[in-house]
Amino acid sequence: MTDCLFCKIVAKEIPAEVVYENDRALAFRDINPQAPTHVLVIPKEHHATAAALAEADSGLADEVLKAAHAVAEQEGVAEGGYRIVFNTGPGAGQTVFHVHAHVLGGRDLTWPPG
Ligand code: 5GP
Ligand code: ZN
């Protein structure tokens, strides 16, 4: 997608603080962090939402989840607990329509999230 912010980050056209990368997934720090650890994990391939990713049937959703786990380990939040959030659709607050998992940790996380 030529007009997608996160595709541009994948293409290195827009800078980001990358913390993890493999063939199919990329993870970088959120520009407006909501917790000491706030990393966005995306598939390099463009899919708009988690729903679209789930329907793609490519094994890519699995790759994103594995990358999120690797990020949590690397950030040192895996043991204490962390949250993986996919805001899916405008009603859930999704603003960037290239699917991304928020990996949040490093502080006490309350429930419900609001
Ligand atoms: P959403 O609201 O779609 O679930 O999350 C989008 C996230 O992307 C937000 O947390 C926002 O701070 C982050 N974001 C928006 N633009 C950029 C950017 O240019 N770089 C980075 N690293 N994060 C961004
Ligand atoms: Zn994209």
Side-chain angles (χ1 to χ4, degrees), residues 4 7 46 98:
C4 168
C7 281
H46 182 89
H98 179 132

Side-chain angles (χ1 to χ4, degrees), residues 19-88:
V19 297
Y20 179 87
E21 181 168 14
N22 64 29
D23 282 357
R24 302 188 79 191
L26 183 72
F28 50 92
R29 295 198 191 284
D30 197 292
I31 206 167
N32 182 24
Q34 302 300 312
T37 290
H38 188 172
V39 172
L40 302 176
V41 182
I42 66 171
K44 290 183 172 177
E45 187 177 288
H46 182 89
H47 296 277
T49 65
L53 181 63
E55 285 175 357
D57 193 26
S58 59
L60 202 49
D62 187 43
E63 296 280 350
V64 171
L65 189 59
K66 283 179 161 58
H69 171 63
V71 165
E73 291 277 7
Q74 193 176 293
E75 292 284 310
V77 298
E79 202 169 322
Y82 61 100
R83 189 168 287 164
I84 300 175
V85 176
F86 288 93
N87 295 324
T88 306

Side-chain angles (χ1 to χ4, degrees), residues 3-25:
D3 203 26
C4 168
L5 177 64
F6 288 175
C7 281
K8 286 179 180 164
I9 287 178
V10 171
K12 314 280 189 224
E13 290 167 22
I14 291 176
E17 193 181 339
V18 172
V19 297
Y20 179 87
E21 181 168 14
N22 64 29
D23 282 357
R24 302 188 79 191

